[in-house]
Structures are given as structure tokens and as C-alpha cells.
Amino acid sequence: MAVLEIFKYPDPKLKKASQPVEAITEDTVCLIREMVETMYTAPGIGLAAPQVGQLQRIIVLDVDYENPGENLITLINPEIRESEGEIVWEESCLSVIDFTAEVKRAKRAEVVGLDEKEKEVTVVGEGLLAVVLQHEIDHLDGKLFIDRISRLKRELYTKRLKKMLRTGKALPERPRIMI
Ligand code: NI
């Protein structure tokens, strides 16, 4: 079991759409275990396969960060079946260093997908869980939360990031709940 490298914006791989998983193999199960370990180690409350360089439609999440492992959700080929309402949440991302921003999303989301045993699962989330489900599914479509903020805010961040990367003065990641 290994902790995988998390790709960071502006890595082009994060912009690509992931492919549906056609068959759940031993490799799929292994990737999921490594994603889970990577997420908890980060620490984070959600991780999508493209963030570790695998363009497959797989997400793992656990918003109950006080009891890691007890409410872990794994979804293969997840799809939003229903969503309603509106919520604004200050989001962050393991792939976007040193930045948070308010993002508007559906307040409640019903998502269907498969688990590791190919069983169909339905997850109904409200509040933070709904936010994380939508955030992770966005990753599968090559979308980051910074694609959902104003262009001006995104450009300001990109400028600051470039400077941080150029000067090597990227701030250490603060202990914070990372999606
Ligand atoms: Ni993210």
C-alpha cells in the first residue's frame, strides 16, 4: 500500500475528463485502497482518481473526519441523479495549494454509483457531504473549484501561485479540512 502523489494545479492532467470504469479489477480495488490512504494521510475529506494521475471515474470521501474510516464512501462511476437548493461553502482542494474561496452549489445531492463489489449505491448528501460529492465529481470532469469562481479571483490566485512557485515560497499547507 502506498501513499500516492497528489497532482497540483496547474498540472494539465487535472483538466482532463476521466473515463468510466468498465470493469472493477484487482487493480481498481488496489487504486481505491491507495486513494483512501492518500486522502487520510493528506489529511483530506475527499479525493478523486485524477488527482493521483488516474483518469478513471472513482472518488473516495469521508466527511466524518473525527472518526476516520467509519463513514468512508467509495463511488465508482458516480452520477448526480438529483440535486436541489443552494448552498455557499468555503472550499479548498488538495490539488490547489494555499487557497480557499466561496463556491455556490446544490444544497442537497443524490448520487448513484458502484462500490468495489459492483453493487449499486445511493448516497444522499446535504450540506458538507453534498458539497464534497459535487466537488469530487467535478474533478472527474476536469473541473476544479477555482473554475467556479469569478475570473478575476482566479487570475489573482494564479498570479500569486506563479509567484510562489517561482520564488519557491509556497506556504506550507495549513491544517485545515481539505476537499
Ligand atoms: Ni479537490
Side-chain angles (χ1 to χ4, degrees), residues 129-159:
L129 180 54
V131 168
V132 179
L133 284 164
Q134 292 167 85
H135 176 117
E136 300 312 331
I137 291 172
D138 262 1
H139 274 301
L140 304 181
D141 295 324
K143 207 173 241 188
L144 299 172
F145 80 95
I146 53 172
D147 295 317
R148 292 190 177 275
I149 61 175
S150 74
R151 207 176 99 187
L152 178 66
K153 278 190 192 159
R154 189 170 50 250
E155 282 175 358
L156 282 172
Y157 168 64
T158 306
K159 237 186 233 172

Side-chain angles (χ1 to χ4, degrees), residues 44-58:
I45 56 172
L47 188 71
Q51 290 182 276
V52 292
Q54 299 290 327
L55 294 174
Q56 302 182 48
R57 300 189 78 86
I58 302 171

Side-chain angles (χ1 to χ4, degrees), residues 29-150:
V29 175
C30 180
L31 170 63
I32 290 168
R33 301 234 162 105
E34 291 183 333
M35 283 173 62
V36 169
E37 199 178 337
T38 305
M39 176 182 76
Y40 285 134
T41 304
I45 56 172
L47 188 71
Q51 290 182 276
V52 292
Q54 299 290 327
L55 294 174
Q56 302 182 48
R57 300 189 78 86
I58 302 171
I59 61 173
V60 296
L61 53 143
D62 186 353
V63 298
D64 186 10
Y65 43 88
E66 282 172 355
N67 304 292
E70 280 178 34
N71 291 291
L72 174 68
I73 296 169
T74 296
L75 288 167
I76 299 163
N77 301 339
E79 274 176 39
I80 297 172
R81 185 152 58 184
E82 261 181 55
S83 60
E84 61 181 34
E86 209 175 272
I87 192 171
V88 175
W89 203 279
E90 179 146 1
E91 295 191 22
S92 57
C93 180
L94 292 169
S95 293
V96 179
I97 59 168
D98 197 46
F99 187 66
T100 65
E102 289 190 335
V103 179
K104 200 191 292 175
R105 297 198 189 262
K107 190 179 177 187
R108 182 182 171 279
E110 190 178 319
V111 175
V112 276
L114 299 173
D115 69 8
E116 295 179 17
K117 292 178 183 124
E118 242 164 289
K119 205 180 98 198
E120 191 177 289
V121 278
T122 302
V123 180
V124 180
E126 268 201 59
L128 177 60
L129 180 54
V131 168
V132 179
L133 284 164
Q134 292 167 85
H135 176 117
E136 300 312 331
I137 291 172
D138 262 1
H139 274 301
L140 304 181
D141 295 324
K143 207 173 241 188
L144 299 172
F145 80 95
I146 53 172
D147 295 317
R148 292 190 177 275
I149 61 175
S150 74

